[in-house]
Amino acid sequence: MKSEEPTFVNHARNAEEFLRDSEQARWHDRALWFVRQKRDTAAASVPEWEELRRAAEAIKAHTLEHLGYYLERFEERARDNGIEVLWAEDAAEFRRLVAEILERHGAARVVKSKSMLTEECGLNPHLEARGIEVTDTDLGERIVQLAGDRPSHIVLPAIHLRKEQVAEIFSSHLHTDPANADPTYLTRAAREHLRRKFLEADAAVTGVNFALAEEGAFVVCTNEGNADLGTALPDLHIACMGLEKLIPSARDLGIFTRLLARSATGQAITTYTSHFRRPKPGGRLYLILVDNGRSTLLQSSRRELLSCIRCGACMNTCPVYRRSGGHSYGTVVPGPVGSALAGSRNPQRYASLSFACSLCASCDLVCPVRIDLHRHLLDERPQTIRVPEYRGKVRGLKAAAFLLRHPRLYRQTMTALRRLLPRLPRSLIYNRFNLWGREREVPSPAPRSFRELYRARQESDDDR
């Protein structure tokens, strides 16, 4: 696996590394925009879409306002159902609890469905260091696990890899034909490989999409059925959930399941929406409730971020994420919501992420629970510009503020730049420091009067 995050995550520098392969960067952009378009089509097919978003926003806000009550209610009902409920204050305690459960039951092989919480808490390397084999069973997660990589997207973990790269990874680990990049061939090879892992497993670890306080149950949504098969075969099931996954009852669940898949992948619903209420006959079911900073966030002005249902829609629409890749953010959850969460947790380390935002507010428009993401990122900027790495940016912003406060000087400066820019050597414009200017031409100076604009349009009409 990759090394730990540096003290300061420099998004621009990381994006430069991603953009070196311009063909892959363009493919990444197109692939995610295709998913965004599918989301729009799916949303348009539901006449009451905006009403559903408003209802989901209100339910999440209500639950967070009364989270203490709902957590106690959930624990009480879950224990009544035979679920063994444990609490973890931070990532270290969570890892310790999972390892103790597995060792107590003699489990040496674990199959794990996709869970961003286990990624957040670093569960896999912790268990592997103790001699426990962990197999991620979501196909995208398994690909990045075999590659020794990290997920770059919370719903599409291997979106940064093309099928030819997947073929090379599978050739090294599953002994497939390296020249055959056919997705069907690769998927069948992965299925055969994972079926053996399912049959050999001693325990299953899953995430939780939604927890139902009134019923003491939880729901796991997948498209591959890997969570269902993983929990059906071994007798030990460990479910892991952050405190924010709660909703009041099953009556509210339909609102979120209608929003989740449409927002994430443009589907009407996930292929498998599995409900877990009690252990299987003769089995044990543990559920670990993890805080890991959520209580602190709950008491802050950024409480709204805990409403996120991890659909990934904000990433699919974000022009910066699509053109810089998930790994450039240096955090488990990338994109707009990941930037806001990371900045609220550690503003010094993640100072650059609030500036990895164009403030276009496209993420707000697609968020199924209507989180005002761009406002949170804008609010973080005054805190982050104090870090030493941003001294140059601060000086530039102060210079811009001075110009904008003096309209006459601003107009004179812009006039001079319009005349100067086309005469500058191209090396001053097209260089490694200007990543976003690559493959673009310097525009001609804009017309300065209505008469010039009229002439420009006439010339354009004559050319046609």
Side-chain angles (χ1 to χ4, degrees):
M1 297 297 289
K2 291 187 176 181
S3 59
E4 291 185 5
E5 298 166 353
T7 303
F8 177 76
V9 174
N10 192 323
H11 178 269
R13 188 175 299 160
N14 296 341
E16 180 178 7
E17 183 179 345
F18 176 79
L19 289 166
R20 284 198 184 103
D21 188 340
S22 58
E23 182 182 348
Q24 182 156 344
R26 283 193 295 270
W27 178 88
H28 186 268
D29 181 19
R30 290 195 301 268
L32 286 165
W33 186 247
F34 173 71
V35 179
R36 159 67 202 271
Q37 290 176 313
K38 287 178 63 183
R39 175 264 172 206
D40 291 348
T41 302
S45 69
V46 181
E48 65 275 21
W49 181 256
E50 291 305 318
E51 286 80 359
L52 287 172
R53 291 179 71 212
R54 283 191 287 271
E57 178 189 23
I59 291 168
K60 277 291 189 177
H62 166 80
T63 308
L64 292 173
E65 183 69 28
H66 305 281
L67 188 58
Y69 165 78
Y70 283 115
L71 284 169
E72 290 179 356
R73 182 63 170 165
F74 174 73
E75 180 183 25
E76 176 188 351
R77 299 307 300 269
R79 290 187 189 281
D80 291 344
N81 293 334
I83 300 174
E84 300 178 55
V85 181
L86 303 171
W87 298 76
E89 183 177 358
D90 54 25
E93 186 173 9
F94 167 71
R95 294 192 298 265
R96 178 181 61 78
L97 287 172
V98 175
E100 286 177 357
I101 293 169
L102 293 173
E103 290 169 0
R104 189 184 313 140
H105 291 273
R109 293 178 295 272
V110 174
V111 286
K112 183 166 74 69
S113 72
K114 185 166 64 180
S115 164
M116 297 314 298
L117 178 64
T118 61
E119 293 284 345
E120 172 191 329
C121 296
L123 181 63
N124 282 22
H126 179 76
L127 296 181
E128 289 164 355
R130 303 172 85 91
I132 298 173
E133 179 189 83
V134 183
T135 302
D136 281 305
T137 59
D138 173 89
L139 180 55
E141 288 272 350
R142 187 56 177 159
I143 290 169
V144 296
Q145 186 182 33
L146 290 174
D149 203 351
R150 294 180 299 173
S152 67
H153 191 288
I154 61 175
V155 175
L156 310 165
I159 190 66
H160 59 291
L161 298 172
R162 287 175 288 178
K163 60 184 181 180
E164 292 79 11
Q165 294 169 295
V166 175
E168 293 177 8
I169 294 167
F170 277 20
S171 172
S172 300
H173 297 274
L174 307 185
H175 310 296
T176 55
D177 180 1
N180 192 341
D182 175 55
T184 302
Y185 168 74
L186 296 174
T187 303
R188 285 176 176 166
R191 180 183 298 164
E192 181 180 349
H193 161 70
L194 287 171
R195 285 293 168 92
R196 291 196 300 271
K197 298 295 184 181
F198 283 124
L199 292 170
E200 296 169 355
D202 303 312
V205 173
T206 71
V208 171
N209 289 94
F210 305 103
L212 314 177
E214 190 61 35
E215 290 76 15
F218 60 92
V219 176
V220 180
C221 303
T222 68
N223 274 328
E224 301 169 17
N226 52 310
D228 301 68
L229 188 56
T231 57
L233 295 174
D235 291 330
L236 177 60
H237 176 191
I238 304 172
C240 317
M241 64 171 274
L243 304 183
E244 79 282 8
K245 296 293 186 178
L246 270 176
I247 58 175
S249 73
R251 291 188 301 274
D252 307 302
L253 180 62
I255 293 170
F256 292 95
T257 53
R258 294 183 74 190
L259 289 166
L260 176 62
R262 288 181 172 91
S263 299
T265 56
Q267 301 168 248
I269 195 168
T270 48
T271 308
Y272 300 89
T273 303
S274 308
H275 295 243
F276 296 88
R277 190 165 186 169
R278 54 178 54 89
K280 60 185 287 190
R284 302 284 291 273
L285 174 54
Y286 293 85
L287 188 140
I288 305 177
L289 289 158
V290 183
D291 187 332
N292 202 34
R294 287 160 175 79
S295 294
T296 302
L297 187 59
L298 183 67
Q299 297 167 21
S300 74
S301 60
R302 297 188 180 130
R303 170 193 292 185
E304 181 189 27
L305 295 172
L306 291 172
S307 296
C308 176
I309 61 173
R310 300 295 192 267
C311 67
C314 61
M315 301 168 201
N316 301 336
T317 197
C318 177
V320 178
Y321 173 87
R322 296 199 322 264
R323 293 165 175 83
S324 60
H327 291 154
S328 64
Y329 291 80
T331 181
V332 171
V333 179
V337 69
S339 298
L341 285 167
S344 65
R345 186 171 71 249
N346 191 332
Q348 297 297 311
R349 170 177 288 183
Y350 299 108
S352 70
L353 299 191
S354 63
F355 291 96
C357 174
S358 65
L359 300 180
C360 66
S362 182
C363 50
D364 300 359
L365 296 175
V366 300
C367 177
V369 289
R370 293 164 50 93
I371 301 174
D372 198 357
L373 287 166
H374 91 282
R375 178 180 61 81
H376 288 290
L377 291 168
L378 181 60
D379 289 346
E380 283 179 10
R381 290 185 177 183
Q383 301 176 49
T384 60
I385 60 176
R386 298 187 183 95
V387 302
E389 287 82 0
Y390 271 144
R391 286 171 184 160
K393 184 182 286 288
V394 171
R395 285 193 289 268
L397 290 172
K398 286 182 176 177
F402 178 80
L403 276 179
L404 293 171
R405 283 196 299 269
H406 299 82
R408 181 177 295 179
L409 180 60
Y410 172 79
R411 285 194 294 269
Q412 291 172 348
T413 303
M414 291 302 104
T415 300
L417 284 175
R418 279 198 297 266
R419 292 172 178 168
L420 179 63
L421 195 60
R423 296 178 174 84
L424 288 175
R426 290 176 63 83
S427 60
L428 292 180
I429 302 168
Y430 297 102
N431 55 62
R432 68 186 185 89
F433 300 106
N434 184 11
L435 299 175
W436 308 112
R438 287 178 180 172
E439 303 177 8
R440 300 181 187 179
E441 292 299 325
V442 177
S444 300
R448 290 187 290 263
S449 67
F450 175 80
R451 187 179 298 279
E452 289 182 16
L453 178 63
Y454 179 73
R455 286 176 181 168
R457 286 185 176 175
Q458 275 191 323
E459 292 172 1
S460 177
D461 290 341
D462 291 344
D463 290 341
R464 286 199 293 268

PDB file of all heavy atoms in Angstrom, residues 221 300 349 391:
ATOM      1  N   CYS A 221     -26.223  -1.746   0.588  1.00  0.00           N
ATOM      2  CA  CYS A 221     -26.578  -1.656  -0.837  1.00  0.00           C
ATOM      3  C   CYS A 221     -25.358  -1.998  -1.695  1.00  0.00           C
ATOM      4  O   CYS A 221     -24.297  -1.392  -1.540  1.00  0.00           O
ATOM      5  CB  CYS A 221     -27.051  -0.246  -1.174  1.00  0.00           C
ATOM      6  SG  CYS A 221     -28.460   0.320  -0.194  1.00  0.00           S
ATOM      7  N   SER A 300     -20.165  21.438  15.501  1.00  0.00           N
ATOM      8  CA  SER A 300     -19.622  22.594  14.792  1.00  0.00           C
ATOM      9  C   SER A 300     -20.635  23.157  13.803  1.00  0.00           C
ATOM     10  O   SER A 300     -21.728  22.616  13.618  1.00  0.00           O
ATOM     11  CB  SER A 300     -18.346  22.189  14.041  1.00  0.00           C
ATOM     12  OG  SER A 300     -18.673  21.406  12.902  1.00  0.00           O
ATOM     13  N   ARG A 349      -3.246  20.491   7.291  1.00  0.00           N
ATOM     14  CA  ARG A 349      -2.796  19.475   6.330  1.00  0.00           C
ATOM     15  C   ARG A 349      -3.531  19.604   4.997  1.00  0.00           C
ATOM     16  O   ARG A 349      -2.927  19.473   3.919  1.00  0.00           O
ATOM     17  CB  ARG A 349      -3.010  18.079   6.905  1.00  0.00           C
ATOM     18  CG  ARG A 349      -2.795  16.969   5.874  1.00  0.00           C
ATOM     19  CD  ARG A 349      -2.935  15.581   6.471  1.00  0.00           C
ATOM     20  NE  ARG A 349      -1.801  15.262   7.324  1.00  0.00           N
ATOM     21  CZ  ARG A 349      -1.637  14.090   7.935  1.00  0.00           C
ATOM     22  NH1 ARG A 349      -2.539  13.142   7.790  1.00  0.00           N
ATOM     23  NH2 ARG A 349      -0.589  13.878   8.689  1.00  0.00           N
ATOM     24  N   ARG A 391       1.909  31.360   1.276  1.00  0.00           N
ATOM     25  CA  ARG A 391       2.357  32.748   1.332  1.00  0.00           C
ATOM     26  C   ARG A 391       2.261  33.415  -0.037  1.00  0.00           C
ATOM     27  O   ARG A 391       1.845  34.570  -0.163  1.00  0.00           O
ATOM     28  CB  ARG A 391       3.789  32.810   1.857  1.00  0.00           C
ATOM     29  CG  ARG A 391       3.886  32.548   3.365  1.00  0.00           C
ATOM     30  CD  ARG A 391       5.314  32.403   3.817  1.00  0.00           C
ATOM     31  NE  ARG A 391       5.388  32.049   5.235  1.00  0.00           N
ATOM     32  CZ  ARG A 391       6.435  31.493   5.805  1.00  0.00           C
ATOM     33  NH1 ARG A 391       7.512  31.212   5.095  1.00  0.00           N
ATOM     34  NH2 ARG A 391       6.416  31.198   7.100  1.00  0.00           N
TER      35      ARG A 391
END
